[in-house]
Amino acid sequence: MHPFSYTKVPDVRAAIAAGRQGGRYVAGGTTLVDLMRETVERPEVLVDIAALPLRGITTTAGGGLRIGALVRMADAA
């Protein structure tokens, strides 16, 4: 497996900054690690976003839904 670094971010702003610098987000049920093992993906940095407050599902003014990045599939269903 290609060497990489791992970091946990304290807030959404830090996560966005890490992503802009080439970091790849991981949390819960991601398949990114499997893809890395098979050398399909080779990120330099993994950014753990599991502790961020991104689990909400809300309605928007136009009648749509806003689904947070960490919402479980069962909750979205």
Side-chain angles (χ1 to χ4, degrees):
M1 187 179 283
H2 182 73
F4 62 91
S5 63
Y6 171 88
T7 185
K8 286 186 178 185
V9 290
D11 53 41
V12 173
R13 181 172 285 183
I16 292 169
R20 285 186 177 146
Q21 294 175 349
R24 295 294 306 272
Y25 303 123
V26 293
T30 184
T31 60
L32 179 59
V33 174
D34 293 333
L35 293 173
M36 290 170 63
R37 197 173 297 126
E38 297 297 323
T39 67
V40 174
E41 293 281 345
R42 299 179 87 181
E44 299 292 322
V45 179
L46 297 183
V47 181
D48 186 342
I49 61 168
L52 299 181
L54 303 173
R55 288 181 172 72
I57 300 175
T58 57
T59 56
T60 64
L65 287 177
R66 179 169 292 164
I67 301 174
L70 298 177
V71 169
R72 295 180 317 153
M73 293 304 288
D75 293 334

